[in-house]
Amino acid sequence: MMKNTCTRAFFLPSRVTGLNRTGLTNALMLVAIAAMLPASLIAQKWPPMPVNADLPGATVSLRPQIAASGDSVYVTWSDDRNASGVFDIYFNRSLDGGASWLPSDIRLDTDLPGAADSSRPQITASGDSVYVTWHDDRNGSSDIYFSRSLDGGASWLPSDIRLDTDLPGAAGSFSSQIAASGDSVYVTWSDNRNGTFDIHFNRSLDGGASWLTSDIRLDKDPNRAEEALVPQIAASGDSVYVTWFNEPNSGFDIYFNRSLDGGATWLPADINIDSTSGSSQYPQIAASGDSVYVTWPNARNNTLDIYFNRSLDGGLSWLPADIRLDTDPRSGLSALPQIAASGDSVYVTWYDDRNPFRALDIYFNRSLDRGASWLSSDIRLNTAREAVPIDPRIAAAGDSVYVTWETGRGNQWGDIYFNRSL
């Protein structure tokens, strides 16, 4: 039973722009997709506040990602406005906490518009610097690309940078994630250059100008008997933390590795932080100071719930028992959580099908004491008459929390919504 030591937070609705989910398929994703199907349950959305520059619903905008630094909020997504079904990477920003946005969004991938598929962008910010990574098939198979802005998103690199250091297009590199601390930028991804998927890493210590000439493998399975998938990354000072899930033989468990010297050296053996039974997948990670926080969905109760573990010593030791965050008394689906941390505060959002006569809703929980206690009742963020929401993303800066997600209507997907708490 979770103890409530704080009052409930309140969120203000408004609209941003688009997303969807492609890539590695597993039981968790199939359950999530099935939960989104009933079009008869979809109703009207609130008045929009657009962030993308094309007309609402004119093209497909997918997988928004969000980052914040001070009062600045940055959003990136993939968009097929240049060629139907072929996506490019776009960006928009707000310098006033999400109240107003650029009138024209900015394209970040620098090959010809619509020439190759660029998708699944990720974003992070440190001071006025904004960093974005994505995977891109311009070389035939998927590679990891990167761009940066040092002036709060006003200008970007004239040529994007490839980060995986095997031969271009030689292997599939997917699910890139990015983190920054000061001038250091860290990127991880899952890569099948060795026959099975492993976790790889690259870093820049000069704000993204230069990178390691050889990327580093982080998962330590010597026999490569398992697939290491969908890594997540966080950074605090010189410390870098990475988590992922392993596909059987181990039964879908959550693993972790860390570096305390800016990504130069790593633990010789990765750590399993999922201490109980049931299928655990798609972890998310955040860090603040020496505290590291990980959340994931787990099926131990014959449905998916949201669980959490923490380390207060830089990833050396963890809680002996993880904590359930969704407070739904029903046995509903809670999936695809996201996490952010600021100071001693930890924030988690996810989507959830607990409410009768609705497909999905966006829920939120928080801790103000480094994950020791949580709200006794989680908070629903989307409004009652909105179309079906999925795939939330979260960012925090100081006491401010920002959440974005995609919505759909019937068979049509591709509007991005935004909510915030100050």
Side-chain angles (χ1 to χ4, degrees):
M1 192 75 176
M2 291 179 290
K3 181 181 177 183
N4 180 12
T5 61
C6 50
T7 57
R8 291 168 64 101
F10 293 91
F11 285 76
L12 172 70
S14 48
R15 179 190 163 201
V16 188
T17 259
L19 105 145
N20 205 345
R21 179 167 290 271
T22 59
L24 298 170
T25 302
N26 56 41
L28 173 60
M29 192 59 61
L30 292 175
V31 172
I33 291 170
M36 293 186 279
L37 291 179
S40 62
L41 304 181
I42 303 172
Q44 188 171 355
K45 56 195 175 188
W46 59 66
M49 183 178 75
V51 165
N52 61 318
D54 59 340
L55 294 174
T59 62
V60 178
S61 300
L62 303 180
R63 295 190 59 82
Q65 301 290 327
I66 191 168
S69 178
D71 291 332
S72 298
V73 188
Y74 308 106
V75 177
T76 185
W77 66 93
S78 55
D79 186 303
D80 75 346
R81 71 186 67 176
N82 299 309
S84 179
V86 180
F87 291 88
D88 292 306
I89 306 300
Y90 282 84
F91 166 86
N92 208 331
R93 72 170 187 188
S94 169
L95 301 183
D96 53 11
S100 62
W101 299 78
L102 292 175
S104 297
D105 43 33
I106 300 171
R107 180 173 172 252
L108 301 187
D109 52 317
T110 59
D111 57 342
L112 292 176
D117 196 49
S118 302
S119 58
R120 290 180 172 261
Q122 300 292 322
I123 191 167
T124 191
S126 177
D128 290 332
S129 298
V130 191
Y131 308 106
V132 177
T133 187
W134 63 91
H135 62 70
D136 188 303
D137 69 0
R138 70 185 69 173
N139 299 313
S141 187
S142 179
D143 291 313
I144 306 301
Y145 279 81
F146 166 88
S147 192
R148 71 167 189 190
S149 169
L150 302 183
D151 54 9
S155 61
W156 294 80
L157 292 176
S159 297
D160 45 30
I161 299 172
R162 180 173 172 256
L163 300 186
D164 48 325
T165 59
D166 58 341
L167 293 174
S173 299
F174 301 97
S175 303
S176 64
Q177 296 289 323
I178 191 167
S181 178
D183 290 331
S184 298
V185 190
Y186 309 106
V187 177
T188 187
W189 65 92
S190 188
D191 187 306
N192 67 356
R193 71 186 68 173
N194 298 312
T196 59
F197 280 96
D198 297 313
I199 306 303
H200 287 261
F201 168 87
N202 207 334
R203 71 168 188 187
S204 170
L205 302 183
D206 55 9
S210 61
W211 295 80
L212 295 175
T213 55
S214 295
D215 50 40
I216 300 170
R217 181 179 168 226
L218 300 187
D219 59 305
K220 304 300 182 179
D221 175 17
N223 299 318
R224 293 191 173 92
E226 301 179 346
E227 304 277 5
L229 302 173
V230 194
Q232 302 290 321
I233 193 168
S236 179
D238 290 331
S239 299
V240 191
Y241 309 105
V242 177
T243 187
W244 64 90
F245 74 89
N246 273 20
E247 192 171 353
N249 303 317
S250 68
F252 295 107
D253 289 317
I254 307 300
Y255 283 83
F256 169 87
N257 206 334
R258 71 165 191 191
S259 169
L260 302 184
D261 54 9
T265 61
W266 295 80
L267 293 175
D270 40 33
I271 301 171
N272 183 348
I273 62 173
D274 175 22
S275 59
T276 59
S277 62
S279 177
S280 296
Q281 302 175 60
Y282 292 102
Q284 300 290 320
I285 193 168
S288 178
D290 291 332
S291 298
V292 190
Y293 310 105
V294 179
T295 186
W296 65 90
N298 178 277
R300 72 190 66 173
N301 298 316
N302 297 317
T303 188
L304 290 171
D305 293 308
I306 306 303
Y307 285 84
F308 168 87
N309 206 335
R310 70 169 190 188
S311 169
L312 303 184
D313 55 9
L316 182 62
S317 61
W318 296 79
L319 293 175
D322 41 36
I323 301 171
R324 183 181 169 207
L325 300 186
D326 57 304
T327 60
D328 175 20
R330 297 176 61 243
S331 58
L333 169 78
S334 299
L336 296 178
Q338 298 288 312
I339 191 168
S342 178
D344 291 336
S345 298
V346 192
Y347 309 104
V348 178
T349 187
W350 64 91
Y351 71 71
D352 190 302
D353 74 347
R354 72 184 65 179
N355 295 310
F357 311 114
R358 290 187 56 80
L360 296 168
D361 291 301
I362 305 298
Y363 278 83
F364 167 89
N365 207 333
R366 73 171 185 189
S367 169
L368 302 184
D369 54 9
R370 299 197 295 175
S373 60
W374 295 79
L375 295 176
S376 57
S377 296
D378 45 33
I379 300 172
R380 181 175 163 221
L381 301 188
N382 59 302
T383 62
R385 295 187 61 78
E386 182 196 333
V388 175
I390 63 167
D391 214 357
R393 293 293 185 265
I394 191 167
D399 290 331
S400 297
V401 191
Y402 308 101
V403 179
T404 185
W405 63 87
E406 180 192 5
T407 65
R409 185 182 305 277
N411 294 323
Q412 182 177 351
W413 297 90
D415 285 324
I416 303 303
Y417 281 77
F418 169 82
N419 209 331
R420 72 179 186 185
S421 168
L422 303 182

